[in-house]
Amino acid sequence: MDLFAVLLVLLLSLFPPLPLSRGGEPDGVTIALDPERGDPDIALPPVSEARRPNSPLVVIDAGHGGRDPGATSPHGGKREKYVTLALARALRDALATSGRVRVALTRNDDSFLELRDRYEIARRLKADLFISIHADAAPNPGASGATIYTLSEVASDHEAALLAARENKVDIIGSAEGTPGADVNRILIDLAQRESMSVSADFTRALYREASPLIPFRPVYHRFASFVVLKAPDVPSILFEAGYLTHARDVAYIHSPEGQKQISTGLRRAIEAHFARRMTGTRAPRGSTS
């Protein structure tokens, strides 16, 4: 038994058992962590109804917005903040129409949100899944196709590291340093984050499997980086890069009604398949994500 395991056993002997993860699933870690770390005055968005009141909740985050326009396409000058909002709305409508999950948007207009507030909205709503939608610029103008990013402090490649650094410039995340019980808190955060990252990886595989017939993905479709917006420790989270505004074909696809419908349909199918498997206690088949 390693030192971490020994410390964990000792900690668990000192504290009462943690509650089950949200949604009544039999596994996972739920913690009440810094509920007011984001803007305490930020309004929570409305949540759509579903067929069942206890259905899973998906929070969709349209990247950028307001004074943060994101990338600008050299092909027609389209701005990322408008593209992501259109995609987020299309996915919200697809999920609301299906009625199998509840859904909320972090923003439904051209407003600015700090990165921390985006994931804090998901946390305060007790979301079961957080999806941040982007359509960035690529250093390589030939780069094309969708990519799924999940959290890791070590980037999977130089391109992922550059993208995370650029996105994270919007604001700076805080830390648990200096708070009462910080050492214990960090271990609990680590436990919750490990579980969330595992669920995020499961969803990534489901997303590629269910959506690849509709959405053109990059050959390396799953990448890792330290995106601030993915750092909610107790909410499984992904960043979905729909394509690149620096590629003419991607721009035409993402901006078209047909392309937006295909993207929203692919994401909807993956979301519903993911929660159906979790409700039955099965997990997505493990396969290569590189």
Side-chain angles (χ1 to χ4, degrees), residues 74-169:
H75 309 287
K78 295 176 176 60
R79 291 188 169 186
E80 185 177 4
K81 65 177 183 177
Y82 297 124
V83 173
T84 60
L85 182 57
L87 290 173
R89 286 172 171 169
L91 177 55
R92 175 204 57 193
D93 293 346
L95 290 170
T97 299
S98 176
R100 292 184 174 89
V101 300
R102 295 173 297 139
V103 60
L105 298 181
T106 57
R107 69 178 181 95
N108 193 24
D109 55 22
D110 184 23
S111 57
F112 173 80
L113 286 172
E114 292 186 358
L115 299 178
R116 182 188 304 172
D117 289 330
R118 294 171 187 269
Y119 72 70
E120 281 296 337
I121 287 172
R123 294 197 66 250
R124 294 181 198 178
L125 289 174
K126 299 185 178 353
D128 299 279
L129 183 65
F130 176 81
I131 300 175
S132 188
I133 298 178
H134 288 254
D136 218 294
N140 173 13
S144 173
T147 313
I148 309 163
Y149 289 89
T150 56
L151 180 66
S152 172
E153 293 303 323
V154 179
S156 56
D157 52 60
H158 182 62
E159 180 182 326
L162 288 176
L163 178 60
R166 186 165 65 246
E167 294 291 341
N168 291 348
K169 285 182 179 179

Side-chain angles (χ1 to χ4, degrees), residues 201-230:
D202 281 347
F203 176 66
T204 295
R205 288 185 284 271
L207 177 52
Y208 180 75
R209 185 182 60 253
E210 299 291 335
S212 55
L214 296 170
I215 301 173
F217 282 90
R218 296 188 71 179
V220 181
Y221 70 87
H222 185 189
R223 300 189 178 199
F224 308 88
S226 184
F227 288 100
V228 168
V229 77
L230 299 181

Side-chain angles (χ1 to χ4, degrees), residues 225-249:
S226 184
F227 288 100
V228 168
V229 77
L230 299 181
K231 288 193 173 183
D234 48 355
V235 182
S237 307
I238 70 157
L239 187 149
F240 176 71
E241 192 84 49
Y244 294 98
L245 298 184
T246 40
H247 194 280
R249 186 174 66 245

